[in-house]
Amino acid sequence: MTEARGSAGRNGDTHARYAPGTPCWVSLMVHGLAATQDFYGSLFGWEFQPGPQQLGPYVRALLDGHEVAGIGQLPPDRHLPIAWTPYLASDDVDLTAETVRLCGGTLGVGPLDAAEDGRLAICSDPSGAVFGVWQPLARLGMTITGVPGAPAWNELVTFETAGVAKFYEAVFGYAEEAVASADFDYVTLHIGGRPVAGLHGVGDALPRDRGPHWMTYFEVADVDVAAGRLVDLGGHLLKPPRDSAHGRVAEVADPEGARFSLLQNPR
């Protein structure tokens, strides 16, 4: 994260339709759906309701009745990386998927309909980082942000930002703002003058077992307390809580290994 980071919403903001390119949803595919619900329910206070089943069993996570994330179950024979995946809004997912292909990305799933909720595709950028595309119909995506337990920011962790930034700009029409630093490779992506996501180039510091990947930050009231609770619930502390320009942050993983970050916004 960096000085240029912005928030998708503050103080329990609710949302109308998301502008194309804006992260509008995060989703996780796991092997143990019930155990994962227990973990995140205890960590963030999420409750769950059934979601569309086109890709198998799937539930939506809710905070006080507001949808914030989704969790699905992988088939037993699918040994894919367990990772949180951000979905970027689109007015035409079929056109966006075609643009992804033309710009050097890969289409992994879809486009396909998710019942009456919307239409989706799962893609990867030229560096291999996976992201989703969501065209809303009955459901817009996240319906609240800016509260503990809700996604607060999404950031691509990659080798270097220059090439991959051109890909995302070409596909989604982002404007870019780079951090002016000789030793810090960071670009913030803007839609309509508002920062919506970040790209962080870390070079050789990229984990060998992960490759380029998107990182979701979830807001919490107290990072140190939340990190302790996460460990008690069977999660893993990857980078201990530390202070940043945007509040206190910790990098963690759930019991199946899905990495994410906890963020305590300064008030």
Side-chain angles (χ1 to χ4, degrees):
M1 297 176 69
T2 178
E3 292 285 354
R5 193 193 69 81
S7 176
R10 301 295 316 131
N11 301 322
D13 293 345
T14 55
H15 288 273
R17 192 176 184 92
Y18 287 87
T22 306
C24 62
W25 189 245
V26 291
S27 191
L28 175 66
M29 300 296 290
V30 298
H31 294 290
L33 182 56
T36 300
Q37 287 177 248
D38 290 342
F39 172 82
Y40 285 101
S42 298
L43 181 64
F44 292 139
W46 289 352
E47 297 178 337
F48 299 92
Q49 67 179 22
Q53 309 292 304
Q54 275 77 1
L55 299 178
Y58 192 84
V59 295
R60 298 189 189 91
L62 291 85
L63 273 175
D64 297 325
H66 296 283
E67 297 177 359
V68 292
I71 303 176
Q73 183 165 314
L74 288 166
D77 59 342
R78 295 295 297 276
H79 299 288
L80 301 174
I82 308 299
W84 280 101
T85 300
Y87 280 71
L88 309 176
S90 172
D91 287 339
D92 185 335
V93 69
D94 295 81
L95 178 59
T96 300
E98 180 61 22
T99 307
V100 165
R101 286 192 292 261
L102 291 173
C103 292
T106 303
L107 182 61
V109 176
L112 57 82
D113 292 328
E116 304 301 318
D117 295 343
R119 191 163 170 81
L120 67 86
I122 301 174
C123 310
S124 58
D125 67 27
S127 73
V130 176
F131 64 95
V133 182
W134 179 251
Q135 180 183 341
L137 293 173
R139 281 186 159 79
L140 298 173
M142 291 179 290
T143 55
I144 192 170
T145 54
V147 296
W153 186 246
N154 287 281
E155 185 173 279
L156 175 65
V157 183
T158 189
F159 292 107
E160 53 83 28
T161 64
V164 76
K166 291 182 173 60
F167 166 82
Y168 285 100
E169 180 181 0
V171 174
F172 293 104
Y174 296 121
E176 302 173 21
E177 180 180 314
V179 172
S181 173
D183 58 355
F184 190 58
D185 182 11
Y186 199 100
V187 171
T188 306
L189 303 177
H190 291 68
I191 292 289
R194 185 171 64 93
V196 296
L199 311 178
H200 189 188
V202 298
D204 292 338
L206 193 72
R208 291 180 178 272
D209 61 334
R210 291 283 292 134
H213 60 280
W214 280 90
M215 170 73 72
T216 297
Y217 289 73
F218 291 95
E219 183 166 340
V220 293
D222 187 311
V223 161
D224 296 82
V225 171
R229 183 185 307 129
L230 173 138
V231 172
D232 290 342
L233 292 169
H236 309 281
L237 185 61
L238 304 178
K239 294 182 180 178
R242 67 191 187 280
D243 292 324
S244 76
H246 302 282
R248 200 156 169 79
V249 64
E251 186 176 332
V252 298
D254 70 17
E256 286 205 24
R259 300 184 183 208
F260 58 100
S261 289
L262 304 172
L263 173 67
Q264 178 184 335
N265 271 304
R267 299 299 186 186

